[in-house]
Amino acid sequence: MHSIQVHDKIFVPYLSQQQIQQRIAEMAQRLNQDLAHERPLFLAILNGAFMFAADLFRQLTIEAEISFIKLVSYKGTRSTGHVITSIGLDEDLYNRTVVILEDIVDTGKTLHEFLPQIHHQHPRKLLITALLSKPDAREFPVTIDYLGFSVPNRFLLGYGLDYDGLGRNLPEIYQLKE
């Protein structure tokens, strides 16, 4: 891995493709064990979680369903402070085990605003699975049940994470060079 430029910013390597895939395999193994006797609905939050969701879902051996919802809160390298639902939830969650798949939890605002919508549908169990978490950026309490990596409060790019639309396709994760 080497430094890359996206738009006007330089990003340096942070997590390799191998590190990411190894951790996802470990997370899938835990989910397979913990949810062996359930038929969960995995709910991936677009756009960022699409790669994580696909790689994780391929490694599940349990019976499971997947759906997607689009929540938007970022513009450029900063959160807008507003969460917008642009693709809604169509599935009935009543008495279901629901596993939210998130690429990254930083301030926690997105989940803080979205989770009441999920709770309103009375799932039996609600779990949060995130590839990345920035605990130093947290402004709203969020309990992450399955976590890939705890990361510093730096802007990250790649593996589904973008900078103004670019960089999502990178198989590695980079951080903004200071």
Side-chain angles (χ1 to χ4, degrees), residues 40-59:
L41 170 64
F42 286 79
L43 187 58
I45 299 180
L46 296 174
N47 285 339
F50 78 100
M51 289 177 75
F52 172 51
D55 287 346
L56 181 75
F57 204 72
R58 274 192 291 263
Q59 296 203 35

Side-chain angles (χ1 to χ4, degrees), residues 20-46:
I20 296 166
Q21 294 305 318
Q22 175 61 40
R23 186 64 185 127
I24 289 172
E26 293 165 4
M27 295 170 76
Q29 182 178 14
R30 276 194 56 215
L31 286 159
N32 285 328
Q33 291 170 353
D34 293 352
L35 303 177
H37 302 292
E38 303 189 39
R39 190 173 160 199
L41 170 64
F42 286 79
L43 187 58
I45 299 180
L46 296 174

Side-chain angles (χ1 to χ4, degrees), residues 8 30 36-37 40 66 104 138 149 154 173-175 177:
D8 58 337
R30 276 194 56 215
H37 302 292
I66 191 166
I104 188 165
R138 198 81 75 243
F149 301 94
R154 305 271 309 272
I173 294 176
Y174 294 80
Q175 67 181 348
K177 183 176 180 180

Side-chain angles (χ1 to χ4, degrees), residues 91-96 121-124:
E91 282 71 23
D92 180 12
L93 306 183
Y94 180 77
N95 207 29
R96 300 272 322 255
Q121 293 194 40
H122 305 288
R124 178 177 62 241

Side-chain angles (χ1 to χ4, degrees), residues 5-7 11 157-158 161-170:
Q5 181 170 345
V6 176
H7 293 300
F11 294 85
L157 171 81
L161 303 165
D162 75 305
Y163 170 43
D164 275 347
L166 297 181
R168 289 190 197 279
N169 60 315
L170 299 167

Side-chain angles (χ1 to χ4, degrees), residues 6-169:
V6 176
H7 293 300
D8 58 337
K9 307 242 184 272
I10 302 294
F11 294 85
V12 296
Y14 184 70
L15 291 170
S16 71
Q17 182 177 8
Q18 181 180 3
Q19 289 172 297
I20 296 166
Q21 294 305 318
Q22 175 61 40
R23 186 64 185 127
I24 289 172
E26 293 165 4
M27 295 170 76
Q29 182 178 14
R30 276 194 56 215
L31 286 159
N32 285 328
Q33 291 170 353
D34 293 352
L35 303 177
H37 302 292
E38 303 189 39
R39 190 173 160 199
L41 170 64
F42 286 79
L43 187 58
I45 299 180
L46 296 174
N47 285 339
F50 78 100
M51 289 177 75
F52 172 51
D55 287 346
L56 181 75
F57 204 72
R58 274 192 291 263
Q59 296 203 35
L60 295 176
T61 57
I62 57 174
E63 282 190 2
E65 298 174 55
I66 191 166
S67 188
F68 299 86
I69 187 160
K70 186 168 184 178
L71 304 175
V72 180
S73 66
Y74 259 79
K75 178 82 173 156
T77 62
R78 300 216 181 273
S79 175
T80 63
H82 303 286
V83 178
I84 301 164
T85 303
S86 55
I87 297 176
L89 178 62
D90 297 328
E91 282 71 23
D92 180 12
L93 306 183
Y94 180 77
N95 207 29
R96 300 272 322 255
T97 295
V98 177
V99 182
I100 304 287
L101 298 178
E102 198 36 310
D103 56 347
I104 188 165
V105 178
D106 46 29
T107 66
K109 184 173 180 65
T110 300
L111 287 174
H112 177 77
E113 291 193 12
F114 176 61
L115 290 178
Q117 296 175 45
I118 299 294
H119 286 296
H120 182 71
Q121 293 194 40
H122 305 288
R124 178 177 62 241
K125 186 187 302 183
L126 179 60
L127 303 166
I128 297 174
T129 301
L131 179 63
L132 306 167
S133 173
K134 292 182 182 178
D136 292 341
R138 198 81 75 243
E139 296 175 16
F140 298 87
V142 175
T143 300
I144 300 172
D145 301 285
Y146 300 90
L147 176 62
F149 301 94
S150 184
V151 297
N153 190 13
R154 305 271 309 272
F155 188 80
L156 301 175
L157 171 81
Y159 196 73
L161 303 165
D162 75 305
Y163 170 43
D164 275 347
L166 297 181
R168 289 190 197 279
N169 60 315

